[in-house]
Amino acid sequence: MKPRNSIDALKINRLPDHDVLTVSGWAFNENGMPEAITLYINGKQQDVKIKTVARPDVDRRYFHQTEGLINSGFRIQMNDCEHISQLEIHSGNTVILSMDKKAIDHIISYDTIVYAIDNETHDKKGNTSVTGWVYSLNHVPVSISVMDRHTKKELPCNIRRIFRNDLYRLGLINKDEKNAGFIISFESSRKNSDIITFSSDKDRAIEAVPYTSTDKRGFGRLIKNINRKNIKKFFKYVRTFGLSKTLKTVFSYSGGYDYDQWFRTHRITPDHLEAQKQVRFACEPVISIIVPAYNTNVDLLTATIDSVEQQSYNKWELCIAFAGDESAPARKLLDEIQEHDQRVKVTFLDKNYGISGNTNKALELANGDFVGLFDHDDLLEQDALYEVVKAINNTEKPVAFYTDEDKYDTKGKTYIDPNMKPDFNLDLLRSHNYITHFFVVKRSVLDETGGFRSEFDGAQDYDMILRVAEKTGPIMHIPKVLYHWRMLPGSTALDPESKKYAYIAGQKAIESHLERSHIRAKVRMQEKPNYGLYEVDYEPVSKPLLSIIIPNYEQRDLLKQCIDSIEEKSTYRNFEIIVAENNSTSQKIKSYYSDVQKQYDNVRIVDLGKMTFNFSRINNLAEKEAKGDLLLFLNNDTELIREDSIANMAGFFERPEVGVVGAKLLYEDDTVQHAGVVIGFGGFAGHINTGIDKDQPGYMMRALLNCDYSAVTGACLMTRRSLFESLGGFDEAFRVSCNDIDYCMKVRRKNLLVVYNAFSIWHHYESKSRGYEDDPEKIRRFEGEIKTFQERYEKELSEGDPYYNPNFNINYGPFQLG
């Protein structure tokens, strides 16, 4: 084959005493293999670490395959080299780049400001948010401003500087420059007219704000995916949700990134696989992979078995219980495989015992220390068992593990629909089986649970995982895509309608789990098309007094709407409402205060007197007047929608491990304002699933499900009074921002759960644009509160949010792969 190579990017930035060199490209030789890359500057070979990277685009183009098996790509970064007058790059013995002084002088840049725009969003009201990073090669501060290019006038904007450890790890910035990231929020003057200016004392750079909408970014991929099957699915969705919501869903999820390419770039490489085979662990258990098989397609079964035999960790056994016909081609295949690989064990069953019975028969063959669950037509990544054993060795008491997964489209031969899971999430597990594959458990624990139960056929894995969790507590998560669920006709991966019985069995599994856990609750499966998603309604047996605390300043109409909605709609009746009055002077609000206390005998007005605004202090003072065992901190611009919202929240506190419960908050147009908070966005925290329709599922259905998060918003936050007081209430150092997130973090440090309740639904009439902190004093206050939060929770911010998968880049928008 003909050797090929390409330099994709070459940049030389010249400073007075040195150059900064950045090069990226790819190369392979006549054997289709990459060779060592060497760099020569001014005739001298450079001692520089050259990073190799996978290039699946090159593999597809030149090798007509899509597995990304060779690392043909490379990246060179030299931040302090001598002035370059001659440059050569070699791949093995082949010169792939040669430049003399004339050519170099032609491309040299004297710019000292380096920046990138990671993401931009625009809403219908003209509000724009731009995320990115910027730094100076001279290591001096860089200021940011936004301007209208036509009027040359500077636009009011809010600029938050954020932590970018990725740039520091690459050696691009110094330790004291880690806040090189930014989030800029502003109201656009007109489309395609805004520019961002980056300025240092020695240089200036200008960037036009991009206005490519998500719809346009995804449209190309949408066109490529038009086929008979997707057209059928499109009209089915239209019949269920209507055209408007269908179009919104299509464009929301049709093209922010190419997951197939992302996965092929990030999966294990041949070099690393070979290296893994040489690793010796202190503990090297045998992993028994159990597979119930029926009349499986021979090609599919062969690929399934191959994916096990190709594992880089070789202490495994594959235990297959075959319940198919004697004449089935798969039976002959299994006979042959047994003969050439003693690690493959097969039992040919005298009849079909059902999925649970067949799985138990496969388990009888197993002699390993750990057991992995594997479907007869799916695929394992070649490093799956290695990563499991690595986790076993890194865990003090290894019991059970699960990995991330995706689906494999057998027709298009592409990887799609990644399930990037959180670390163990009890409330999410009680809402649906988010763990699924690849699940590995200690054999002794599996035996203690009693194996697989036929009464839960279709959800037998779910039932077993719940029983394992009862015995072991949190199950360890391995955040790597190591399992591929093949999309085949009749598979629930392709058509949920095909196995509705499995979802009914899932409901029974949750009910059985709650009964064993001595928890009183009702379990309901959500309506079509959300089969397999469940609502667990915990019964507030003791029905404790709830104190609802609502701060207010002059807002008569909003407050009335909030109080009336609770008094008139709520099914939970044992509550008092405390209005924390703060600095109001109008006769209108005073009259309302008098009227509302006459109208409702459970409403009290607590006048806090004249005081400088401090949201934390207002709530803390009001809490001292509360009589309830439960507290609900509620904004005055909220309105209860679902009648059992408060009862739903209160029910969670029948569980001692729950410390905080938040709600699903909707803007006035019924799009989501709050559905959980993730730590780390903007160097602080951020809402997720914001802006989607109230019925849209969000990423991996989490907007529709009860689940645990690191924090919830204080606009509607319920907690135990005893816990609130033991933690010192809201920290009054956070006068306006961060107080609710700080409280949730203190609760998490007590190993208590913060729960997002998807079925406690309220309107929150907060504007989608909060306005801009362009007053210097407000900016200093805000930045000071963020700094305090970052210092207090440096460890948590550094380690990452356990409820947010690390494959997502916290510097981008929510659920964006890095």
Side-chain angles (χ1 to χ4, degrees):
M1 113 180 291
K2 182 180 178 182
R4 293 183 182 274
N5 58 76
S6 173
I7 301 297
D8 296 332
L10 170 63
K11 190 170 185 179
I12 301 174
N13 291 86
R14 176 145 296 174
L15 280 72
D17 57 349
H18 68 279
D19 284 352
V20 177
L21 173 68
T22 304
V23 187
S24 62
W26 56 266
F28 59 80
N29 62 20
E30 64 275 6
N31 297 316
M33 295 301 294
E35 295 184 310
I37 301 294
T38 50
L39 172 68
Y40 295 84
I41 293 178
N42 303 336
K44 295 176 289 187
Q45 183 174 343
Q46 303 297 302
D47 182 16
V48 58
K49 186 176 181 180
I50 298 175
K51 183 178 180 181
T52 59
V53 295
R55 288 295 297 263
D57 55 331
V58 175
D59 298 337
R60 281 193 289 266
R61 181 174 179 182
Y62 293 105
F63 299 96
H64 306 292
Q65 53 91 17
T66 57
E67 293 304 314
L69 293 178
I70 68 168
N71 281 349
S72 60
F74 62 85
R75 176 181 170 83
I76 302 170
Q77 180 72 47
M78 287 194 71
N79 297 321
D80 189 8
C81 58
E82 62 183 283
H83 285 161
I84 303 171
S85 57
Q86 183 184 15
L87 178 66
E88 281 192 3
I89 298 176
H90 296 196
S91 172
N93 296 321
T94 304
V95 178
I96 62 174
L97 176 71
S98 180
M99 299 181 70
D100 59 15
K101 185 176 185 304
K102 184 176 180 181
I104 290 170
D105 288 345
H106 186 68
I107 67 164
I108 279 180
S109 169
Y110 292 89
D111 295 335
T112 61
I113 293 177
V114 184
Y115 67 90
I117 304 297
D118 291 332
N119 189 48
E120 86 285 343
T121 59
H122 316 276
D123 68 18
K124 296 175 183 177
K125 296 182 178 180
N127 299 305
T128 294
S129 177
V130 180
T131 304
W133 52 264
V134 61
Y135 65 90
S136 166
L137 294 173
N138 290 312
H139 303 291
V140 297
V142 178
S143 63
I144 305 173
S145 60
V146 180
M147 181 183 298
D148 184 307
R149 76 168 73 196
H150 301 295
T151 65
K152 308 300 181 186
K153 290 184 178 179
E154 191 169 316
L155 301 177
C157 65
N158 181 29
I159 301 169
R160 187 194 303 180
R161 304 307 291 258
I162 62 177
F163 185 77
R164 288 302 293 257
N165 200 41
D166 54 337
L167 301 180
Y168 175 67
R169 287 198 306 267
L170 290 170
L172 300 177
I173 57 176
N174 296 330
K175 191 172 184 179
D176 58 357
E177 298 175 303
K178 281 188 178 181
N179 282 351
F182 59 78
I183 300 176
I184 312 171
S185 303
F186 60 94
E187 185 175 345
S188 179
S189 54
R190 69 189 92 177
K191 190 171 181 179
N192 295 321
S193 69
D194 305 315
I195 57 175
I196 300 173
T197 302
F198 305 104
S199 304
S200 70
D201 58 356
K202 297 180 179 179
D203 206 354
R204 188 167 181 258
I206 294 175
E207 172 72 13
V209 177
Y211 275 85
T212 304
S213 68
T214 301
D215 292 7
K216 291 179 181 178
R217 284 199 301 267
F219 192 72
R221 289 189 67 224
L222 177 65
I223 292 296
K224 292 179 183 178
N225 287 319
I226 290 179
N227 54 48
R228 182 179 296 177
K229 180 181 74 176
N230 286 339
I231 290 173
K232 194 174 181 180
K233 287 171 68 177
F234 175 86
F235 284 107
K236 185 177 180 181
Y237 205 90
V238 169
R239 286 194 297 272
T240 305
F241 290 108
L243 181 60
S244 177
K245 289 184 182 178
T246 300
L247 291 175
K248 185 183 291 187
T249 299
V250 167
F251 284 115
S252 293
Y253 298 102
S254 62
Y257 61 89
D258 183 343
Y259 169 70
D260 182 70
Q261 182 171 345
W262 180 92
F263 172 71
R264 295 180 191 281
T265 301
H266 288 80
R267 76 189 318 183
I268 189 74
T269 65
D271 290 345
H272 287 133
L273 277 172
E274 288 303 313
Q276 286 181 358
K277 292 175 183 178
Q278 310 308 315
V279 173
R280 292 295 172 262
F281 293 101
C283 173
E284 294 191 331
V286 173
I287 309 291
S288 298
I289 301 171
I290 59 174
V291 181
Y294 193 55
N295 289 328
T296 316
N297 175 281
V298 171
D299 292 337
L300 297 179
L301 185 58
T302 299
T304 296
I305 295 171
D306 285 348
S307 75
V308 177
E309 293 188 320
Q310 293 166 3
Q311 292 294 306
S312 59
Y313 179 81
N314 63 10
K315 292 186 179 180
W316 54 263
E317 58 180 16
L318 181 59
C319 306
I320 302 174
F322 185 76
D325 303 331
E326 288 188 16
S327 59
R331 182 166 183 138
K332 182 180 178 182
L333 169 70
L334 292 173
D335 274 328
E336 294 172 352
I337 289 176
Q338 276 192 109
E339 290 180 9
H340 82 257
D341 194 334
Q342 298 302 309
R343 295 173 298 177
V344 179
K345 302 178 179 180
V346 183
T347 179
F348 296 103
L349 304 181
D350 57 345
K351 66 176 183 178
N352 185 355
Y353 290 90
I355 185 64
S356 293
N358 295 347
T359 305
N360 285 329
K361 292 293 185 182
L363 183 59
E364 290 175 6
L365 299 172
N367 293 313
D369 307 288
F370 284 81
V371 175
L373 308 187
F374 195 26
D375 285 354
H376 63 158
D377 50 11
D378 290 340
L379 301 167
L380 286 177
E381 275 292 288
Q382 294 179 52
D383 57 332
L385 297 186
Y386 175 91
E387 292 294 343
V388 170
V389 174
K390 179 181 173 183
I392 289 171
N393 279 266
N394 291 336
T395 305
E396 185 176 348
K397 294 182 179 179
V399 177
F401 304 85
Y402 65 96
T403 74
D404 297 336
E405 63 185 293
D406 60 18
K407 296 184 178 69
Y408 183 67
D409 183 349
T410 54
K411 197 168 186 179
K413 299 189 183 304
T414 55
Y415 298 98
I416 63 171
D417 198 14
N419 187 351
M420 303 296 188
K421 305 166 189 175
D423 286 354
F424 186 72
N425 194 316
L426 178 59
D427 285 287
L428 185 59
L429 184 59
R430 287 176 176 172
S431 299
H432 80 140
N433 184 10
Y434 82 93
I435 287 179
T436 55
H437 303 296
F438 181 44
F439 181 73
V440 177
V441 61
K442 202 169 188 177
R443 172 63 187 270
S444 59
V445 173
L446 182 55
D447 288 342
E448 287 177 29
T449 66
F452 298 87
R453 304 193 292 180
S454 296
E455 59 266 39
F456 297 97
D457 274 2
Q460 71 286 339
D461 292 0
Y462 192 11
D463 169 61
M464 188 271 294
I465 289 170
L466 287 166
R467 284 182 285 132
V468 167
E470 292 163 26
K471 289 187 174 295
T472 68
I475 299 171
M476 296 299 294
H477 172 220
I478 301 170
K480 291 178 179 289
V481 177
L482 300 173
Y483 191 101
H484 309 294
W485 188 6
R486 275 196 282 205
M487 297 176 64
L488 302 166
S491 166
T492 50
L494 188 63
D495 182 13
E497 283 282 355
S498 65
K499 291 187 180 178
K500 187 177 178 181
Y501 75 91
Y503 302 124
I504 296 172
Q507 179 176 335
K508 288 171 56 183
I510 301 171
E511 291 169 341
S512 178
H513 156 69
L514 293 171
E515 185 178 344
R516 289 189 302 273
S517 303
H518 308 291
I519 296 174
R520 291 178 58 175
K522 296 177 182 176
V523 182
R524 288 183 284 270
M525 183 165 68
Q526 295 191 35
E527 298 293 327
K528 179 183 177 180
N530 296 327
Y531 295 149
L533 307 183
Y534 307 95
E535 175 185 356
V536 178
D537 184 2
Y538 298 94
E539 298 180 33
V541 181
S542 56
K543 293 185 173 59
L545 177 65
L546 170 70
S547 297
I548 303 174
I549 297 173
I550 309 174
N552 188 63
Y553 167 68
E554 296 288 10
Q555 293 296 327
R556 187 262 186 198
D557 294 341
L558 279 175
L559 180 62
K560 182 178 188 309
Q561 179 175 252
C562 177
I563 292 175
D564 287 349
S565 71
I566 296 169
E567 296 282 3
E568 295 171 7
K569 294 181 183 179
S570 177
T571 58
Y572 192 92
R573 302 309 304 171
N574 191 22
F575 64 86
E576 63 172 358
I577 295 177
I578 298 172
V579 177
E581 156 55 33
N582 175 44
N583 292 337
S584 299
T585 58
S586 70
Q587 188 57 45
K588 181 179 179 181
I589 193 64
K590 290 179 180 179
S591 296
Y592 174 69
Y593 285 159
S594 176
D595 293 343
V596 74
Q597 291 178 95
K598 294 174 184 176
Q599 183 179 4
Y600 304 116
D601 60 8
N602 61 349
V603 175
R604 287 187 286 142
I605 310 299
V606 175
D607 192 340
L608 302 179
K610 298 294 182 183
M611 57 183 288
T612 302
F613 182 78
N614 183 315
F615 194 74
S616 297
R617 181 165 174 75
I618 290 168
N619 280 289
N620 288 343
L621 291 173
E623 183 271 332
K624 295 183 185 304
E625 303 295 323
K627 300 175 181 177
D629 293 323
L630 294 179
L631 305 172
L632 174 60
F633 295 98
L634 191 66
N635 278 20
N636 61 358
D637 55 355
T638 57
E639 179 183 13
L640 186 145
I641 298 175
R642 183 166 155 164
E643 294 178 347
D644 59 354
S645 291
I646 294 175
N648 260 324
M649 297 177 79
F652 273 93
F653 292 96
E654 296 296 322
R655 295 165 47 194
E657 75 273 17
V658 173
V660 166
V661 178
K664 185 174 189 173
L665 304 183
L666 307 177
Y667 290 116
E668 190 171 4
D669 64 0
D670 280 345
T671 57
V672 172
Q673 186 259 339
H674 171 266
V677 173
V678 166
I679 302 303
F681 284 119
F684 165 48
H687 292 198
I688 57 173
N689 289 317
T690 303
I692 66 173
D693 188 85
K694 64 178 180 179
D695 296 322
Q696 281 187 292
Y699 183 75
M700 298 313 301
M701 306 291 183
R702 288 178 67 175
L704 299 178
L705 300 170
N706 291 339
C707 48
D708 305 321
Y709 281 102
S710 287
V712 293
T713 179
C716 183
L717 182 154
M718 189 179 290
T719 189
R720 288 187 181 85
R721 183 182 176 188
S722 59
L723 176 62
F724 185 79
E725 292 180 349
S726 72
L727 293 174
F730 293 116
D731 190 332
E732 294 178 17
F734 298 114
R735 291 170 47 203
V736 180
S737 304
C738 308
N739 39 57
D740 49 357
I741 311 303
D742 171 70
Y743 179 73
C744 289
M745 295 296 284
K746 290 190 290 186
V747 169
R748 290 290 299 125
R749 282 184 170 179
K750 291 286 186 180
N751 292 318
L752 297 173
L753 297 177
V754 175
V755 182
Y756 157 67
N757 188 328
F759 307 99
S760 177
I761 305 176
W762 306 66
H763 273 128
H764 187 197
Y765 296 107
E766 174 195 58
S767 169
K768 288 190 178 182
S769 169
R770 286 179 173 265
Y772 304 109
E773 305 255 29
D774 49 4
D775 176 83
E777 183 180 347
K778 289 181 180 179
I779 291 173
R780 282 194 297 272
R781 185 268 309 155
F782 177 74
E783 290 182 345
E785 291 178 351
I786 295 295
K787 183 179 180 182
T788 299
F789 182 89
Q790 290 173 335
E791 291 172 349
R792 182 173 297 178
Y793 299 106
E794 182 178 4
K795 181 175 182 288
E796 287 88 345
L797 289 168
S798 176
E799 292 176 350
D801 193 319
Y803 297 115
Y804 192 68
N805 192 290
N807 288 303
F808 297 125
N809 191 322
I810 202 71
N811 298 309
Y812 300 167
F815 305 115
Q816 297 294 310
L817 289 167

